[in-house]
Amino acid sequence: MNPPTFVGLGFIVGFLVGLTGVGGGALMTPSLIFLGVEPLTAVGTDLLYATATRIFGVFFRGRRGGIRYDIALRLLAGSVPAVILGGVILREIDRNALNDHLTVLLGAILVVSAVLSLLKGEFDLPVRPRWAYVYLLGFIVGLTVQFTSVGAGVIVSFTLMNVAKLDPKDVVGVAIVYGLALSAFSFLNYAGIGGVDYGLAGTLILGTIPGVYLGTHVNRKTDREELKRAMNVIILLIGLFTLLGG
């Protein structure tokens, strides 16, 4: 492992997240795989990385108030059985088979996440919101995150805005709180099978902190929506290449 390379990766991803608010997991996991990290370890390490970085997000967001904990807790309740199921699957399936399938699944989720992000605010689903759908959404996203570490923020945000018609400001708070809890629980599954590189996660976080700080300052002078679209196109291309490679 070349520490400067991963510090640089953490800085770049952190900068882009601070600049646009999206793309952390969608960029980190495929980047780690590209740099030679085993897919299983890449997912587990990214989940630890995401947990640590989201703690800061929850802290700063919580100070401003207005987080819809009722929605976040229902999402988490739906995710608990998915986390348990994911843990069983991770322990029962051969590690080599998991690595092969994780790459393909990651590519598919990247493509879906990018498309949903590009459609955000431009797509109106003709479904009447019900609390049962929130639990179902939590289960689907929880199972997805178990195996890719990608998709929680994008899929939840897209659905809450286009189905539940939730205020975008509330959506951000829900996504951060739910994402923190889900990544923390999911990380435990990978820790239990030795699928986490703690040194690598620490190195990534070391680069991310100044990256996020710089990104949040630069975003005041840039068109964030245009940057988000550009990032989602990049994520879409990464997903397509990952699928082809898998």
Side-chain angles (χ1 to χ4, degrees):
M1 184 178 76
N2 185 3
T5 299
F6 292 104
V7 170
L9 175 61
F11 178 85
I12 292 170
V13 173
F15 175 78
L16 291 173
V17 171
L19 191 63
T20 67
V22 299
L27 291 171
M28 183 59 76
T29 301
S31 296
L32 290 175
I33 294 173
F34 177 77
L35 290 172
V37 178
E38 177 195 29
L40 192 71
T41 302
V43 174
T45 302
D46 186 29
L47 287 169
L48 175 56
Y49 161 82
T51 300
T53 53
R54 280 171 177 156
I55 289 173
F56 295 102
V58 169
F59 174 74
F60 290 119
R61 183 72 188 182
R63 292 178 63 184
R64 294 163 59 186
I67 294 177
R68 290 288 303 273
Y69 287 102
D70 57 332
I71 298 176
L73 288 174
R74 282 180 168 88
L75 285 168
L76 185 60
S79 295
V80 169
V83 172
I84 295 172
L85 177 61
V88 172
I89 295 173
L90 286 170
R91 286 167 174 78
E92 293 298 322
I93 297 180
D94 178 70
R95 193 180 185 104
N96 291 326
L98 267 175
N99 282 321
D100 292 339
H101 289 91
L102 283 176
T103 303
V104 176
L105 181 59
L106 173 63
I109 296 301
L110 288 175
V111 171
V112 171
S113 297
V115 170
L116 290 181
S117 291
L118 291 168
L119 289 173
K120 191 180 296 182
E122 302 173 13
F123 195 73
D124 189 18
L125 294 176
V127 178
R128 297 182 64 181
R130 301 177 187 274
W131 281 121
Y133 296 156
V134 177
Y135 293 106
L136 178 60
L137 175 63
F139 180 84
I140 293 171
V141 173
L143 199 58
T144 299
V145 171
Q146 285 302 293
F147 299 104
T148 66
S149 79
V150 178
V154 172
I155 296 173
V156 166
S157 298
F158 175 84
T159 307
L160 291 180
M161 283 195 293
N162 288 281
V163 178
K165 307 300 182 185
L166 202 64
D167 187 308
K169 293 181 181 178
D170 290 331
V171 170
V172 174
V174 170
I176 292 175
V177 172
Y178 169 65
L180 169 60
L182 181 57
S183 60
F185 283 121
S186 301
F187 150 72
L188 293 176
N189 275 336
Y190 282 82
I193 61 172
V196 180
D197 187 327
Y198 295 95
L200 176 56
T203 303
L204 293 170
I205 293 168
L206 188 65
T208 291
I209 294 173
V212 170
Y213 178 81
L214 180 61
T216 53
H217 281 72
V218 173
N219 73 4
R220 299 173 185 173
K221 303 177 182 178
T222 58
D223 187 332
R224 284 182 291 174
E225 291 306 312
E226 290 298 323
L227 284 169
K228 284 183 180 181
R229 290 191 190 95
M231 279 188 65
N232 282 310
V233 170
I234 292 172
I235 291 170
L236 177 60
L237 291 174
I238 292 174
L240 291 173
F241 281 119
T242 303
L243 278 175
L244 292 173

